[in-house]
Amino acid sequence: MSKNLYVAAVEEGTGKSLAVLGIMEVLSKNISNIGFFRPIVRSGKEMDPHIHLISERFNLNLEYEEMYGVSADEMHEYFVNSRMEEIQKIIMEKYKALERKSGFVLVEGTDFTGHSAPFEFDMNAEIANNLGCPIIAVLNGHGKSVDEVEESILLATETLSSVGASMIAMIVNRADHHKMTELEKELAALPNQPIYVIPEEPSLLNPTMAEIEKALGARRIYGGDEELTREIKATRIAAMTVPNFLDYIEDATLVITPADRADIIVGSFLAFMSENYPRPAGLLISGAIDTAEQVIKLIRGVEKLPMAVLKVSLDTYSTAMAVKDVRTFLTPKNERRNTTALAMFEKHVDVVKLEELINVKRSVAVTPLMFEYQLIERCKADKQHIVLPEGQEGRILKAAEILTLRDVVDITLLGNEDEIRKKMSALNVKLPDVNIIDPVTSELRKDFAMTYYELRKHKGISERLACDQLTDVSYFGTMMVYKGLADGMVSGAVHTTRHTIRPALEFIKTKDGGIVSSVFFMCLADRVLVYADCAVNPNPNAEQLADIAIQSAETARMFGIEPRIAMLSYSTGASGAGEDVEKVREATEIARKRRPDLMIDGPLQYDAAVDASVAKTKMPDSKVAGHATVFIFPDLNTGNNTYKAVQRSANAVAIGPVLQGLRKPVNDLSRGSTIEDIVNTVAITAIQAQALKKKE
């Protein structure tokens, strides 16, 4: 198995960071201890943007100094003193130090900037050879004919061959869309290593307001960090009257205007608030003079709009030229751009084949990232349709965008379509083809209401009340799942748990008359454990506790975790007595009788369940003690506090609550859920739906 890989750009403008991000994603699904290394960076003081992206996104526990060889300034000093051989030695020493503490090292080559650009690929080939790294070469296909791409491939192959470097694949990035078919056909006929072609994606080249702020050293006058993430599709210099200016404005435009043009500044704000004009991405005020205090006071008094206003001292022309030269990067905070890049990589690169080429061997340990990536991978293999009732909630829309870009699930949003579209526009969320249903006006409502009436008329529900009830997004979404128009539902970002679960209890109902319970997947540094019940049942009796144990075992197995079930209590084995211990002991016996195929033991204290040395003393003959993967808490108070204590104290990732026991998957979000939490919960719901269909 190879323990390293070198990604090298053949020329400038390849967008190799897209390839690096995609390859790192592939590696992180399989390997728990990855190092990232750049032989040469621009600066040894300010963190390299590519190292920043990879270390943050993949939670690499490494110091910046460990992740690069030399800075550009250091290299230049060695170069002018004719000591280039020492550069290779320094790079080798720092690389080897990182390699010793890593299971795999991904190396990213240089950026093709500065005086050495014409020789950089040769230099990267030599460095890769010295480090013993196989190479994936990245070429720039933008504006090139098929013959020109083939010529670049030939030159790269000859260069690598001349130094004895090993190349396992090539990626032609930023190819022109209208040449894709011809390129793929011609390049597939070339011998040796596979060649993947990724088309140009304009949105990856569009700068954000944050990048404008940093590159120009601008001062922020209005807007927060969220507003700085807005993508800029066009730039307009506004030096005309407001009526003429409004005719030229486009959606996601950066408006550049002199500091004394109060009319344009105010007009930009009004354009953003108006439904009759496109919304600017932001406003960039130029000039050495200050904008009038009254104007600044006016705009700062406007209710918060998702738009940023920046100020620079450059004149308007110089400002426009500086904006034109702003470079875009993949950054940890720009999730849309990262997701778009990953989606492009996964769509056009055979990831399974790439794993074989790199000769990746899956790690026994399972990190939180690996678990999350495996969720996404399983969803994409058999796409499900998930309904999200809270279609006007910003976090839901951003999560839906990520899920759609990566082709994880099909999504239906519920709510007023005009309001949802306005919210998307304000948040700069792109979901052009998403299915949106308004329960109030939907043609499905009448059929859903009659179904609900038939199911609940024995409870005194009238037809009119049923019709009214189906305007509620939770009832409408749950009915979509009940009738097979969606495979699962996720809600709770703004609704209570009761609001989310009640419709499911009314007509989806539970399996075999059991109870609904929940689990959390507790992702520790090297493994994933299952905790139950930490969210639903306050004080389950012995029968219910046994039900929770069996449900949790099935959920664990569904997600690739071999269930070894510990029934937790404050004493272990026969050492203690009391009502609470007896409940756990009785629940253990009930679960064993119902499912003799499961490994289950209890009562167990937590330390005996999780620590092999403690288990050897307290329960030496137990197959579960010391090796438990599923932990059943005796009551909600214990379970909820324990999962939160482990989450905070052990820096674990807690994914959940995941509901279990229902006939069809419905899951409840915490009202404090992050976008990542929502993405994970949707993925889990889709996998539950897959398992249900397979069982049926």
Side-chain angles (χ1 to χ4, degrees):
M1 173 188 168
S2 170
K3 289 191 66 176
N4 53 23
L5 179 67
Y6 199 109
V7 181
V10 173
E11 56 206 319
E12 63 180 333
T14 63
K16 76 176 181 311
S17 57
L18 178 149
V20 169
L21 183 65
I23 293 167
M24 193 71 181
E25 190 95 349
V26 172
L27 295 172
S28 295
K29 294 174 184 176
N30 301 283
I31 303 169
S32 60
N33 185 22
I34 305 174
F36 184 71
F37 187 76
R38 299 205 69 188
I40 303 168
V41 295
R42 295 184 193 179
S43 171
K45 297 177 181 178
E46 184 178 353
M47 182 174 279
D48 173 77
H50 294 194
I51 291 178
H52 184 215
L53 168 69
I54 298 300
S55 61
E56 287 286 320
R57 183 176 180 87
F58 297 97
N59 299 320
L60 303 187
N61 189 25
L62 298 167
E63 297 295 328
Y64 179 50
E65 290 73 18
E66 296 179 276
M67 301 173 72
Y68 75 89
V70 295
S71 68
D73 289 341
E74 290 171 327
M75 184 175 172
H76 179 69
E77 185 178 336
Y78 279 96
F79 179 79
V80 296
N81 290 298
S82 302
R83 296 164 60 194
M84 285 302 291
E85 286 187 9
E86 292 185 39
I87 288 287
Q88 292 282 3
K89 290 179 182 178
I90 294 170
I91 291 171
M92 173 69 78
E93 287 173 2
K94 292 195 73 174
Y95 168 81
K96 286 296 183 183
L98 179 60
E99 185 183 55
R100 283 191 290 271
K101 62 190 298 185
S102 306
F104 191 101
V105 180
L106 180 64
V107 184
E108 180 186 354
T110 54
D111 290 330
F112 280 79
T113 56
H115 63 276
S116 61
F119 314 104
E120 284 196 30
F121 184 60
D122 302 62
M123 180 176 62
N124 280 297
E126 186 178 352
I127 293 171
N129 207 28
N130 287 337
L131 300 182
C133 298
I135 290 177
I136 290 181
V138 187
L139 295 84
N140 183 1
H142 181 64
K144 289 183 179 178
S145 66
V146 175
D147 289 342
E148 287 171 330
V149 171
E150 288 185 350
E151 184 179 350
S152 295
I153 290 171
L154 178 62
L155 288 172
T157 305
E158 289 176 350
T159 298
L160 294 173
S161 179
S162 68
V163 297
S166 171
M167 179 166 61
I168 63 173
M170 278 192 171
I171 296 173
V172 179
N173 192 26
R174 299 187 59 201
D176 297 336
H177 279 268
H178 65 280
K179 296 175 185 172
M180 282 290 293
T181 303
E182 186 183 2
L183 262 175
E184 289 176 330
K185 181 180 178 181
E186 292 294 325
L187 299 184
L190 294 180
N192 302 321
Q193 72 286 323
I195 302 170
Y196 303 108
V197 184
I198 303 175
E200 176 90 286
E201 174 48 56
S203 67
L204 294 177
L205 302 174
N206 293 334
T208 62
M209 291 298 294
E211 286 165 332
I212 298 294
E213 180 187 50
K214 183 176 181 181
L216 275 65
R219 175 165 55 93
R220 198 185 319 177
I221 292 175
Y222 183 91
D225 291 344
E226 180 71 21
E227 285 67 49
L228 291 180
T229 64
R230 291 185 69 82
E231 180 185 303
I232 299 165
K233 293 183 177 179
T235 302
R236 294 287 182 270
I237 297 175
M240 56 186 72
T241 62
V242 170
N244 290 320
F245 155 67
L246 291 174
D247 286 339
Y248 282 93
I249 196 170
E250 298 175 14
D251 190 45
T253 297
L254 172 64
V255 178
I256 302 175
T257 193
D260 59 356
R261 292 302 303 270
D263 55 338
I264 297 295
I265 296 170
V266 175
S268 297
F269 267 75
L270 289 173
F272 197 99
M273 291 185 282
S274 172
E275 295 182 11
N276 296 326
Y277 285 94
R279 288 179 164 173
L283 185 62
L284 182 56
I285 301 172
S286 62
I289 63 173
D290 289 328
T291 299
E293 290 183 13
Q294 298 93 324
V295 176
I296 298 298
K297 184 177 181 181
L298 179 68
I299 64 175
R300 284 179 175 166
V302 175
E303 184 180 349
K304 188 177 180 182
L305 295 178
M307 182 177 82
V309 179
L310 305 176
K311 173 72 169 66
V312 293
S313 58
L314 296 170
D315 63 74
T316 304
Y317 176 79
S318 299
T319 299
M321 292 299 100
V323 167
K324 186 178 179 182
D325 292 336
V326 172
R327 291 187 63 194
T328 61
F329 294 96
L330 298 178
T331 63
K333 291 184 179 180
N334 196 330
E335 187 57 36
R336 176 192 289 118
R337 190 180 287 169
N338 296 337
T339 302
T340 301
L342 284 172
M344 296 296 293
F345 184 88
E346 292 166 352
K347 183 177 180 180
H348 298 283
V349 175
D350 185 340
V351 172
V352 175
K353 177 67 175 176
L354 189 62
E355 287 181 357
E356 294 174 3
L357 292 169
I358 302 172
N359 194 18
V360 171
K361 182 180 179 182
R362 286 190 180 271
S363 170
V364 175
V366 179
T367 67
L369 276 175
M370 290 168 69
F371 184 70
E372 291 173 12
Y373 296 154
Q374 287 164 14
L375 293 180
I376 300 299
E377 206 170 45
R378 287 179 62 183
C379 289
K380 293 169 74 172
D382 180 16
K383 278 179 68 178
Q384 302 295 299
H385 180 187
I386 306 299
V387 58
L388 304 175
E390 298 159 324
Q392 291 173 228
E393 161 61 32
R395 288 167 295 161
I396 293 290
L397 291 173
K398 290 179 180 180
E401 183 182 45
I402 291 170
L403 292 160
T404 302
L405 280 170
R406 297 195 67 183
D407 205 26
V408 178
V409 292
D410 293 321
I411 285 173
T412 290
L413 299 172
L414 299 186
N416 181 279
E417 182 164 1
D418 288 341
E419 293 300 319
I420 291 174
R421 296 288 181 193
K422 286 178 186 176
K423 188 74 171 182
M424 285 183 196
S425 176
L427 295 172
N428 202 23
V429 166
K430 306 294 188 296
L431 287 166
D433 301 320
V434 72
N435 184 39
I436 300 175
I437 298 176
D438 185 348
V440 176
T441 59
S442 173
E443 295 178 355
L444 296 170
R445 180 181 163 196
K446 184 176 180 180
D447 175 59
F448 284 7
M450 288 307 299
T451 300
Y452 181 64
Y453 166 69
E454 291 296 331
L455 291 169
R456 301 293 293 174
K457 62 184 179 182
H458 68 287
K459 292 288 187 179
I461 296 293
S462 65
E463 290 186 29
R464 181 173 179 177
L465 183 57
C467 191
D468 290 342
Q469 195 74 290
L470 264 298
T471 61
D472 182 280
V473 290
S474 290
Y475 275 87
F476 194 95
T478 307
M479 188 60 76
M480 285 183 68
V481 177
Y482 177 80
K483 294 180 78 72
L485 299 178
D487 300 308
M489 184 182 90
V490 174
S491 189
V494 293
H495 289 101
T496 64
T497 296
R498 177 181 174 83
H499 195 151
T500 298
I501 298 177
R502 183 176 178 178
L505 293 175
E506 286 186 4
F507 52 88
I508 285 181
K509 298 189 180 295
T510 60
K511 300 173 186 174
D512 305 319
I515 63 171
V516 173
S517 64
S518 71
V519 300
F520 276 88
F521 292 104
M522 301 301 296
C523 303
L524 305 177
D526 59 351
R527 56 190 159 154
V528 179
L529 305 177
V530 176
Y531 284 9
D533 175 8
C534 305
V536 178
N537 297 285
N539 192 24
N541 59 34
E543 187 74 33
Q544 291 171 330
L545 210 55
D547 203 17
I548 292 168
I550 294 168
Q551 289 175 356
S552 302
E554 291 174 350
T555 298
R557 191 164 281 156
M558 188 187 300
F559 290 89
I561 300 167
E562 181 61 30
R564 292 187 291 274
I565 308 158
M567 305 294 285
L568 298 176
S569 182
Y570 58 77
S571 71
T572 295
S575 65
E579 184 179 343
D580 292 337
V581 178
E582 290 305 320
K583 180 180 77 169
V584 174
R585 186 173 287 120
E586 183 184 352
T588 303
E589 292 305 315
I590 294 170
R592 281 173 173 166
K593 287 178 182 177
R594 288 174 55 189
R595 291 292 301 273
D597 57 307
L598 293 175
M599 286 190 288
I600 182 168
D601 211 344
L604 284 170
Q605 290 165 286
Y606 192 94
D607 59 348
V610 78
D611 190 316
S613 61
V614 176
K616 190 175 181 180
T617 302
K618 293 187 175 183
M619 292 281 279
D621 299 324
S622 173
K623 293 181 179 179
V624 173
H627 306 285
T629 57
V630 178
F631 298 78
I632 308 302
F633 295 95
D635 54 57
L636 185 59
N637 182 50
T638 309
N640 191 270
N641 278 300
T642 303
Y643 107 75
K644 287 182 177 177
V646 172
Q647 180 187 27
R648 302 298 178 185
S649 302
N651 199 28
V653 176
I655 300 177
V658 178
L659 298 183
Q660 52 189 13
L662 289 167
R663 289 179 178 172
K664 292 192 176 185
V666 171
N667 275 307
D668 177 43
L669 297 165
S670 162
R671 274 170 280 178
S673 294
T674 64
I675 296 167
E676 184 181 19
D677 292 335
I678 297 167
V679 169
N680 286 335
T681 303
V682 170
I684 284 171
T685 306
I687 292 170
Q688 288 178 310
Q690 290 173 352
L692 179 67
K693 290 181 180 180
K694 187 176 181 181
K695 191 173 182 180
E696 289 176 346

